[in-house]
Amino acid sequence: APPPGRRPPPGSAPGTGKVYLETYGCQMNVNDTEIAWSILQRNGYTRTKDPEEADVILLLTCSVREKAERGIWTRLGQLKVLKGRRQRAGVPLRIGILGCMAERLKEEILHREKLVDVVAGPDAYRDLPRLLAVAESGQQAANVLLSLDETYADILPVQTSAGGTTAFVSIMRGCDNMCSYCIVPFTRGRERSRPIASILQEVRMLSDQGVKEVTLLGQNVNSFRDMSEVQFQSAAAPALSHGFSTIYRAKPGGLRFAHLLDQVSRIDPEMRIRFTSPHPKDFPDEASVLQLIQERHNICKQLHLPAQSGSTRVLEAMRRGYTREAYLELVHHVRESIPGVSLSSDFIAGFCGETEEDHQQTVSLLREVRYNVGFLFAYSMRQKTRAHHRLQDDVPAAVKRRRLEELIAVCREEAARLNQDMVGQSQVVLVEGPSKRSASELCGRNDGNTKVIFPDAEMEDAAGCRALVRAQPGDYVLVKVTSASSQTLRGVALSRTALSHSAPSH
């Protein structure tokens, strides 16, 4: 029998149990976990880190690739054993599937082995207390309704990220791009933006808590469009980047991403600002976003520019809305606008109909652009997408794997060269904490978001006091780079510094 006081007796009031949360997939899901927990906490739940002592286990799931979903089914198999054990002991356990997989596979999740009690889509987290109360009465409960306006603007997420040095702030939900390979519009719904006032409130709160880096988060951040203030509802729709198109009509009205970025970067000069993921189409030629990045010392000189393929033919099949040439033109424009910018990108290997020549064009794009970081995946066909309805997943799995390995090798090679160029330079590093491999070393990230490792030793303080100091998480440290690999820089600390006193040397 469970020890006394470990969990409420059967039939006690809903909302007095212990919740165990497990997160899979993208950073949006980490943020959604914080939102879901905030709602449950308000409703009297407590949180546990031990699934064995939980009354409720909630899995926040991902549907972007088949592999992610397979992992959830495996995990449910493990939880079935735990649930059976608990039932025999007369101590009920409720299991919930939240997020994208809940949205995509509601029926299958509810019917398979009757294991899952609660299913809630990305727009249904407010409904969690009710769903859990229904489940407590022995029924399955589901809400996968997608909303046109849910942004959780009034719910301040309970931050759970490492050390409290960095945080993610969700600024919008959903996506309207309808790329042919992508499940996101079907699992997260239409694009809608949070009011700027609520975003600024959250960033101010994080600044007051001592958070030193905020990443603005959305499926398509730079198409942000806050329609909450009447006087801005008739503003003209912005132009797209040169050579880019969309399948939907440009939407007029609203306060745009450049305005938000401007406001957020003014809150705290000692707080770094990043954002992800943007779409290349929303960096028009006269882009004030690029200007802001170049001008403001606390907006990181780092851009994620998802390309997906280097072949115009494949890009057309993907419905990306640009050619290889237009994408490269944008890259050149970005590099001219922001000297020393760090670039990252996403690529899919083996999309429907991709030939060896198409693949080689992606290889050559990786060589030409030279990304600091690449996120590369083999294509995984998803139901509901346009590719599923209209295209053939005709590249054999072995070929996808080989192409993916080639892309990863080229990407790493180029990243290693770029990092090698930084040897001898001084970089401003935000300290996140001890290095995973050694307690005698500290780890942090530079402006370009590259990991930097250096010995935890005494150093000067650039603020002018004579005493030597040791760096703490949340400090900015000037580090001289002494060696580099494809993913990491190593160096020695020169001094503790302030973000406003120093800019990374390029």
Side-chain angles (χ1 to χ4, degrees):
R6 197 170 105 175
R7 62 174 62 83
S12 65
T16 53
K18 290 185 177 179
V19 181
Y20 174 77
L21 290 150
E22 218 166 78
T23 310
Y24 297 81
C26 69
Q27 198 54 57
M28 287 293 286
N29 277 1
V30 175
N31 196 257
D32 276 9
T33 305
E34 292 170 353
I35 288 169
W37 168 230
S38 182
I39 290 163
L40 291 169
Q41 195 181 34
R42 283 185 192 182
N43 282 271
Y45 284 88
T46 54
R47 190 165 178 181
T48 176
K49 289 184 173 170
D50 181 3
E52 291 284 343
E53 66 166 43
D55 302 289
V56 179
I57 293 178
L58 299 176
L59 308 184
L60 233 116
T61 62
C62 171
S63 259
V64 169
R65 280 173 296 282
E66 194 184 337
K67 188 179 173 188
E69 287 188 357
R70 278 205 307 270
I72 302 293
W73 289 120
T74 303
R75 183 67 176 125
L76 284 175
Q78 295 162 355
L79 292 176
K80 186 182 182 181
V81 177
L82 175 60
K83 192 170 187 176
R85 204 165 65 227
R86 295 276 288 270
Q87 269 169 340
R88 289 190 293 278
V91 186
L93 169 66
R94 284 161 290 151
I95 293 173
I97 295 285
L98 315 187
C100 293
M101 190 168 161
E103 193 66 47
R104 193 177 97 74
L105 293 173
K106 172 191 156 187
E107 302 298 330
E108 192 178 340
I109 290 166
L110 288 174
H111 295 148
R112 203 192 259 203
E113 297 164 349
K114 300 287 183 200
L115 173 73
V116 174
D117 305 284
V118 168
V119 173
D123 291 345
Y125 302 140
R126 285 181 201 275
D127 203 19
L128 274 173
R130 182 189 71 81
L131 294 171
L132 286 168
V134 170
E136 202 152 293
S137 71
Q139 301 173 62
Q140 287 184 311
N143 180 349
V144 292
L145 291 174
L146 286 173
S147 164
L148 290 171
D149 50 18
E150 178 62 271
T151 60
Y152 300 108
D154 59 323
I155 294 173
L156 290 176
V158 180
Q159 292 295 330
T160 52
S161 51
T165 302
T166 63
F168 292 84
V169 173
S170 180
I171 67 167
M172 63 191 300
R173 300 179 75 82
C175 185
D176 288 350
N177 287 322
M178 305 299 283
C179 300
S180 63
Y181 53 82
C182 188
I183 191 78
V184 167
F186 304 98
T187 59
R188 287 189 168 267
R190 294 283 74 93
E191 220 169 75
R192 64 268 187 205
S193 301
R194 216 176 131 181
I196 284 181
S198 85
I199 297 167
L200 298 180
Q201 180 196 359
E202 187 176 338
V203 175
R204 279 189 205 103
M205 181 191 79
L206 292 168
S207 170
D208 292 345
Q209 289 171 7
V211 167
K212 286 295 177 68
E213 181 178 293
V214 159
T215 302
L216 304 177
L217 208 57
Q219 239 72 44
N220 197 17
V221 280
N222 54 343
S223 66
F224 178 88
R225 180 170 155 266
D226 170 15
M227 294 294 283
S228 65
E229 296 189 38
V230 175
Q231 69 268 38
F232 297 106
Q233 285 179 3
S234 56
L240 292 175
S241 304
H242 176 67
F244 289 70
S245 64
T246 62
I247 63 160
Y248 58 83
R249 256 197 242 134
K251 302 181 191 90
L255 286 166
R256 300 289 170 160
F257 185 61
H259 180 85
L260 172 67
L261 195 57
D262 171 46
Q263 296 293 305
V264 167
S265 68
R266 289 174 189 271
I267 287 174
D268 180 352
E270 287 301 305
M271 180 192 263
R272 273 180 177 169
I273 309 299
R274 301 186 192 276
F275 56 88
T276 199
S277 277
H279 191 289
K281 70 179 165 55
D282 295 309
F283 289 111
D285 295 344
E286 69 289 353
S288 41
V289 169
L290 300 182
Q291 228 170 312
L292 276 169
I293 296 171
Q294 194 266 318
E295 286 169 7
R296 299 276 158 93
H297 74 274
N298 64 332
I299 304 179
C300 293
K301 312 289 178 271
Q302 176 237 331
L303 262 192
H304 188 60
L305 282 182
Q308 307 301 359
S309 173
S311 157
T312 295
R313 204 182 65 78
V314 173
L315 289 168
E316 195 175 331
M318 290 177 164
R319 293 177 109 189
R320 289 292 290 168
Y322 52 85
T323 60
R324 175 195 175 95
E325 290 70 30
Y327 180 86
L328 281 170
E329 200 177 310
L330 174 64
V331 168
H332 295 315
H333 175 54
V334 165
R335 288 222 153 109
E336 278 170 18
S337 307
I338 311 164
V341 69
S342 272
L343 295 181
S344 57
S345 193
D346 299 334
F347 287 92
I348 295 170
F351 184 64
C352 307
E354 184 187 74
T355 64
E356 202 54 37
E357 188 187 333
D358 294 324
H359 166 64
Q360 288 307 326
Q361 292 205 9
T362 303
V363 170
S364 75
L365 187 80
L366 285 169
R367 293 249 185 245
E368 189 168 343
V369 176
R370 304 182 76 203
Y371 298 97
N372 297 73
V373 177
F375 302 94
L376 304 105
F377 303 96
Y379 176 61
S380 171
M381 174 77 85
R382 312 313 284 132
Q383 287 172 345
K384 290 190 181 175
T385 59
R386 184 181 170 88
H388 183 255
H389 292 303
R390 303 280 179 91
L391 303 172
Q392 286 300 120
D393 186 5
D394 54 1
V395 179
V399 176
K400 283 181 187 176
R401 268 197 308 277
R402 173 184 58 78
R403 288 178 185 172
L404 176 61
E405 283 162 14
E406 282 177 24
L407 295 181
I408 289 171
V410 171
C411 199
R412 283 201 174 147
E413 204 180 300
E414 295 299 339
R417 279 188 199 148
L418 287 170
N419 287 347
Q420 200 57 45
D421 292 345
M422 291 187 201
V423 173
Q425 291 183 15
S426 299
Q427 301 274 313
V428 176
V429 175
L430 173 59
V431 180
E432 290 176 358
S435 158
K436 280 186 185 147
R437 292 197 181 164
S438 165
S440 65
E441 292 182 313
L442 292 171
C443 178
R445 288 181 183 272
N446 69 0
D447 186 86
N449 213 19
T450 303
K451 190 187 283 186
V452 183
I453 294 169
F454 57 96
D456 179 6
E458 290 188 325
M459 66 189 82
E460 287 181 9
D461 189 353
C465 64
R466 300 257 168 113
L468 294 174
V469 294
R470 288 189 104 107
Q472 302 298 318
D475 285 348
Y476 291 106
V477 173
L478 200 60
V479 174
K480 182 163 188 176
V481 180
T482 54
S483 67
S485 70
S486 66
Q487 292 170 306
T488 311
L489 302 173
R490 285 185 166 275
V492 290
L494 301 177
S495 64
R496 189 165 70 177
T497 184
L499 192 58
S500 42
H501 292 171
S502 44
S505 61
H506 292 297

